[in-house]
Amino acid sequence: MTSLRRRIFGDSPTNPSQDASPDKAEKLTLVSTARLKSLTKKRSKRRHGFVFGLGGLFGILVAAFFANRHDVINFEGLMELNLDSLIDAIPAGVVKDAKDITRGEREAVNYDSFSVGLHLQGQGVRALHPVIMIPGVISTGLESWGTEEASRQYFRKRLWGSWSMMRALVLDKASWKKHIMLDKITGLDPPGIKLRAAQGFDAADFFITGYWIWNKILENLATLGYDPTNAFTAAYDWRLSCANLENRDQYFTRLKSHIETARQTSKQKVVLVSHSMGSQVLFYFFHWVQAKGHGNGGPDWVDKNVGSWINISGSMLGALKGLPAVLSGEMKDTAQLNAFAVYGLEKFLAKAERVEIFRTMPGVSSMLPKGGNAVWGNKTFAPDDKSGQKVSYGTFINFKESNSTQSPHNLTVEESIEYLLEHSDTWYRDQVLDNYSNGVAHTTAEVEDNERDPRKWMNPLESRLPLAPHLRIYCFYGIGKSTERSYFYREDQDPTSKVNVTIDTSLMMGEVDHGVIPGEGDGTVPLISNGYMCAKGWRIKRYNPAGAKVKVYEMPHEPDRFSPRGGPNTGDHVDILGRSSLNDLILRVAGGRGDQIEENYESNIREYADKVAIYEE
């Protein structure tokens, strides 16, 4: 297959997951956004036709495989196919087009390797503060360390975040599910299974070969002088509740030690960089580290050891898509599939299976929306409703048929969480209620009482920032990308289904797309979750009593149409980690130039925040 790839696309035999470093004698030129666009601007209809046709063929093969791989395709015969001979049957013009397309995409993806760091290096910016990165869900690979007979074939192979995951999921689904799911009662490893978070930079630089996550940031940090002695990735098993992260892996104890060691060896306070769910995990750590009987660091530990917190796309108030994921095993990504793809998905991994997998991972339920109706709206109003909007975002789950036996009326976010728990097994309900709280503390007394209740430590509306007056918080997130905000549901009429309700994918009217009502955000996390605490919440005294300074820098989603990852100006939830301006901002903070950053608001988040029903005392 490697030989075939080289013949078609002209790939070199080097590691495809790494961008090439410039030769020492090569003249370096920073490429502007305008120049980048020109690199991939021209495409012929013939080339687009080639991509469409090839993609369609691939989709048919994959869907057929998922539908019933033994009945539809004889894969044993396919394996015997001489792939080199296939290239000779493809017209030379098509092969040339494929090479040209791939070459153009390489230029679009690789144009900025190291360039942001080199630019700041030229301005005198150098590594100053130690940097510790706390990744999000998709960023952290999970590898097997079990030695039981069923696990030996996977020893030290990643069952999340690698091609090994894909292979195990397709060829040995039952075993993959057994390994990836946690015990329903304890929320820990099932008997005989041992999955752990991969460690080091390799744990988060690439999700799978060629699909970078933190790699762009690591490249640019390295140009300023960062390496494993002054930069560190604090990977964690995102399936676990925060309490079990400490109980099983001593994660927070180790994170505390890493921060203290970095502070002592460098004589500089640490810069913490978190992404997505990692921001919630870090917020929990701030409470844990100072609490008696937990980290025992005392109330001034954060102020002594942490200089800045860079909060990237932090889902501080949860991700709305997390609720339908655990309710019916769905989200926009599944709702908008065509009928053929849905059939293949359901045959391979049905909704009930997806629900079971998600619910056995307590960490996923940490993403349930926080703040209730005060933040997300009631039956007639939501803070982010637009003028002339026909259906308020406040009704989070809508039933088109008013006589539904599963729900007598439309549901707000608060009611949706109650509905989820009422229609769940006891083990799942207990896991959620024992680990999380999604309400609002309206008084200082409530907030201070919650400092002794670990269930509240992931919710910034029920607990406060650390008493760290010198802490600087930078909130960087994308805006302007359609993000699921609410849904239309119906009763699941499939007699073989084990879920009660399902997204009404047949519903297409106005902005409603296959039962999904879009709103503002970064494609994954709604704007209110990314921005409310930064723009307003942490400016309320009880949530930030020490007065830590907070800066907001919003980044519009302006993707390059020919770049598969959006290019240097993407605002996508994950791809933003490769955005040029984000890398620039991170490096400035790490290099001690954070004070130069000015706030940048481009959305209506401050207007929406003022409409949220949370006020000063």
Side-chain angles (χ1 to χ4, degrees):
M1 181 63 77
T2 301
S3 173
L4 177 64
R5 177 183 173 87
R6 291 177 195 157
R7 291 186 64 186
I8 297 179
F9 300 117
D11 285 356
S12 66
T14 56
N15 185 348
S17 69
Q18 301 292 331
D19 292 333
S21 301
D23 295 330
K24 291 183 178 180
E26 182 181 347
K27 183 178 179 181
L28 297 174
T29 303
L30 300 182
V31 182
S32 65
T33 302
R35 170 58 180 157
L36 171 68
K37 292 181 178 179
S38 71
L39 288 173
T40 54
K41 189 174 183 179
K42 297 182 179 179
R43 293 288 188 273
S44 67
K45 292 182 179 179
R46 180 182 176 193
R47 292 177 183 178
H48 287 305
F50 166 77
V51 174
F52 181 83
L54 190 61
L57 177 61
F58 176 77
I60 291 172
L61 289 173
V62 170
F65 177 76
F66 283 165
N68 193 327
R69 65 178 184 268
H70 297 299
D71 295 338
V72 178
I73 299 174
N74 184 343
F75 275 87
E76 292 181 0
L78 186 60
M79 287 302 199
E80 296 173 0
L81 177 66
N82 184 346
L83 294 178
D84 278 340
S85 66
L86 181 62
I87 194 69
D88 296 327
I90 300 176
V94 174
V95 175
K96 180 179 182 299
D97 286 343
K99 290 181 178 180
D100 290 343
I101 291 171
T102 304
R103 188 180 304 112
E105 288 182 345
R106 278 205 201 97
E107 290 174 344
V109 173
N110 295 343
Y111 83 99
D112 62 342
S113 295
F114 308 100
S115 65
V116 174
L118 292 171
H119 176 70
L120 291 178
Q121 187 185 81
Q123 296 181 6
V125 180
R126 297 290 185 273
L128 179 62
H129 297 280
V131 173
I132 295 180
M133 292 160 277
I134 300 92
V137 172
I138 192 175
S139 309
T140 303
L142 302 176
E143 58 187 27
S144 175
W145 281 83
T147 57
E148 298 288 335
E149 184 175 356
S151 299
R152 290 171 193 164
Q153 61 178 319
Y154 300 124
F155 184 72
R156 294 213 59 211
K157 291 182 180 179
R158 294 192 187 181
L159 294 181
W160 177 266
S162 72
W163 290 112
S164 297
M165 171 190 75
M166 304 296 188
R167 182 179 182 278
L169 178 58
V170 172
L171 300 179
D172 194 5
K173 184 182 73 171
S175 179
W176 180 82
K177 282 180 58 180
K178 181 179 178 182
H179 282 77
I180 204 73
M181 291 169 59
L182 294 170
D183 184 273
K184 294 177 180 179
I185 305 301
T186 66
L188 296 168
D189 298 305
I193 302 296
K194 190 175 185 180
L195 239 61
R196 296 294 181 267
Q199 297 299 314
F201 295 136
D202 287 344
D205 56 351
F206 289 87
F207 180 64
I208 56 176
T209 301
Y211 190 92
W212 50 261
I213 303 292
W214 287 82
N215 188 61
K216 300 293 183 183
I217 292 174
L218 294 175
E219 287 176 345
N220 285 301
L221 284 171
T223 63
L224 298 191
Y226 284 96
D227 56 42
T229 65
N230 55 2
F232 175 76
T233 299
Y236 57 95
D237 188 340
W238 45 267
R239 301 172 303 157
L240 297 173
S241 66
C242 281
N244 278 338
L245 274 176
E246 178 62 21
N247 294 337
R248 192 195 75 176
D249 298 346
Q250 297 79 52
Y251 175 77
F252 297 114
T253 296
R254 297 174 192 275
L255 180 57
K256 178 188 178 188
S257 176
H258 283 302
I259 293 173
E260 290 175 337
T261 300
R263 170 79 170 91
Q264 293 166 4
T265 56
S266 69
K267 310 304 180 186
Q268 297 287 341
K269 291 185 180 181
V270 173
V271 170
L272 299 175
V273 185
S274 61
H275 175 245
S276 188
M277 178 183 170
S279 295
Q280 290 183 284
V281 172
L282 181 57
F283 191 71
Y284 182 99
F285 169 76
F286 284 152
H287 297 86
W288 176 92
V289 73
Q290 63 184 10
K292 290 183 179 179
H294 295 275
N296 297 313
D300 60 348
W301 186 93
V302 174
D303 206 37
K304 287 180 178 179
N305 292 280
V306 181
S308 299
W309 170 23
I310 300 176
N311 171 22
I312 305 171
S313 304
S315 50
M316 299 310 303
L317 299 183
L320 293 174
K321 66 190 300 180
L323 205 158
V326 293
L327 176 62
S328 60
E330 301 170 292
M331 56 191 74
K332 180 179 72 173
D333 309 85
T334 60
Q336 295 178 352
L337 293 173
N338 61 44
F340 189 43
V342 168
Y343 172 78
L345 178 62
E346 290 302 311
K347 292 288 287 185
F348 179 69
L349 200 64
K351 288 193 289 287
E353 288 184 283
R354 302 197 297 269
V355 166
E356 182 183 27
I357 291 172
F358 290 142
R359 290 185 184 181
T360 60
M361 301 173 176
V364 172
S365 295
S366 73
M367 304 294 284
L368 291 175
K370 299 172 177 61
N373 295 356
V375 171
W376 302 106
N378 54 37
K379 292 185 184 297
T380 60
F381 165 82
D384 52 338
D385 280 345
K386 300 180 181 66
S387 176
Q389 188 170 313
K390 293 183 179 180
V391 179
S392 171
Y393 292 137
T395 51
F396 179 64
I397 291 182
N398 302 274
F399 290 90
K400 186 179 178 182
E401 301 295 334
S402 58
N403 61 348
S404 168
T405 59
Q406 295 300 325
S407 176
H409 55 76
N410 296 334
L411 307 174
T412 65
V413 162
E414 278 186 17
E415 293 170 333
S416 297
I417 294 177
E418 293 172 0
Y419 179 87
L420 166 68
L421 298 179
E422 288 172 3
H423 291 78
S424 301
D425 293 325
T426 301
W427 60 265
Y428 175 70
R429 184 164 56 251
D430 290 345
Q431 286 282 2
V432 173
L433 297 178
D434 289 348
N435 287 290
Y436 308 116
S437 178
N438 299 304
V440 177
H442 292 281
T443 67
T444 300
E446 289 179 83
V447 170
E448 293 304 320
D449 284 344
N450 290 342
E451 290 301 303
R452 295 182 290 275
D453 186 351
R455 295 176 304 158
K456 316 284 188 178
W457 290 354
M458 287 191 87
N459 186 353
L461 294 174
E462 292 188 287
S463 57
R464 57 169 169 77
L465 285 169
L467 301 177
H470 301 100
L471 177 66
R472 298 294 180 263
I473 301 173
Y474 300 89
C475 297
F476 303 146
Y477 56 87
I479 62 168
K481 187 173 184 181
S482 178
T483 305
E484 47 205 286
R485 181 60 175 83
S486 54
Y487 306 85
F488 274 93
Y489 264 74
R490 62 174 173 79
E491 293 185 41
D492 194 346
Q493 303 295 337
D494 184 352
T496 65
S497 176
K498 296 181 181 179
V499 298
N500 297 322
V501 293
T502 183
I503 294 176
D504 188 356
T505 57
S506 66
L507 190 58
M508 301 281 290
M509 62 178 188
E511 291 188 350
V512 182
D513 185 2
H514 293 85
V516 179
I517 304 173
E520 299 176 71
D522 63 9
T524 297
V525 178
L527 175 61
I528 286 182
S529 182
N530 272 330
Y532 173 76
M533 293 308 302
C534 305
K536 178 73 179 289
W538 284 327
R539 300 168 202 259
I540 295 175
K541 184 69 174 178
R542 64 180 176 274
Y543 298 133
N544 184 7
K549 290 186 178 180
V550 182
K551 287 186 177 181
V552 174
Y553 198 101
E554 295 184 331
M555 304 179 190
H557 181 56
E558 299 170 343
D560 185 300
R561 59 180 299 189
F562 295 116
S563 173
R565 299 293 299 278
N569 294 308
T570 178
D572 177 81
H573 182 72
V574 174
D575 294 342
I576 197 173
L577 294 174
R579 184 184 175 110
S580 296
S581 58
L582 175 69
N583 277 253
D584 180 276
L585 294 171
I586 293 172
L587 267 58
R588 289 184 187 276
V589 176
R593 308 285 183 92
D595 291 341
Q596 298 176 353
I597 298 173
E598 300 292 336
E599 288 198 305
N600 181 56
Y601 286 96
E602 302 209 21
S603 74
N604 294 322
I605 184 58
R606 288 177 291 186
E607 175 188 336
Y608 299 156
D610 286 339
K611 296 178 182 178
V612 169
I614 299 175
Y615 313 102
E616 286 278 13
E617 291 180 79

